[in-house]
Amino acid sequence: MPQQPALAREFVMRFTSTPRGARLARRLVSHRLDDWGYPYDSDANTTLTLIAAELAANAVRHGHVPGRDFHLRLAATPYALRIEVGDTRGDRCPASDSPASPPADAEAGRGLLLVAHLADRWGVMSRAAAPGKCVWAVLGTGSAGAPPVPPAEEPATQA
């Protein structure tokens, strides 16, 4: 009898578009990954927590609309971890091909470079049921030859 694939795990939450909300998002991603069997000191937990911190900080800094929250979705399958951070500001959308390097003396502007380096894949998409954008990143966790995990057609971080 064929073995049934393990069900995906999912965590979805809205956060206030403030530095405190971004910090809480990062901490909850790390805790949830630990609960799902990716210990705090594992490569998967530390890497995805760092990606979550960058995406949440960007949502607060560049995607903030007064009175609007940002949304985070974390999903785990046997082969990959996926994070999505959505905000309601669609006019400030990063290029999803290759982020530009800031000047060497710049104090900011390296967050998406870090995400692009750490994630197996990442991108940006419009939110289908709400204004704004969703930045997503995928980190593979399965064995070599595992089937690839395609990006979602639309973000799950609606509302």
Side-chain angles (χ1 to χ4, degrees):
M1 182 156 113
Q3 188 177 20
Q4 295 288 334
L7 295 177
R9 294 178 174 151
E10 183 177 60
F11 169 73
V12 179
M13 191 167 185
R14 285 188 343 193
F15 296 90
T16 58
S17 191
T18 63
R20 183 176 184 206
R23 189 171 46 251
L24 180 60
R26 174 186 52 82
R27 293 187 69 173
L28 289 178
V29 164
S30 182
H31 290 312
R32 186 62 54 153
L33 289 171
D34 183 65
D35 289 345
W36 290 349
Y38 300 95
Y40 293 112
D41 60 352
S42 69
D43 288 341
N45 191 311
T46 56
T47 300
L48 204 65
T49 298
L50 181 55
I51 291 171
E54 290 298 334
L55 297 182
N58 284 351
V60 169
R61 183 172 183 164
H62 304 292
H64 176 72
V65 173
R68 301 287 176 102
D69 297 335
F70 72 92
H71 299 84
L72 181 138
R73 176 180 176 260
L74 176 66
T77 68
Y79 303 109
L81 297 169
R82 179 183 173 97
I83 186 157
E84 300 174 1
V85 176
D87 63 58
T88 55
R89 189 149 185 198
D91 61 330
R92 299 184 80 177
C93 193
S96 62
D97 50 359
S98 179
S101 296
D105 59 347
E107 293 183 16
R110 293 174 182 83
L112 286 179
L113 285 172
L114 187 60
V115 170
H117 178 74
L118 293 173
D120 293 324
R121 284 183 311 285
W122 76 281
V124 181
M125 56 191 165
S126 295
R127 295 173 64 196
K133 65 186 170 299
C134 176
V135 181
W136 57 268
V138 174
L139 180 67
T141 61
S143 61
V149 179
E153 293 300 318
E154 61 183 53
T157 52
Q158 306 296 324

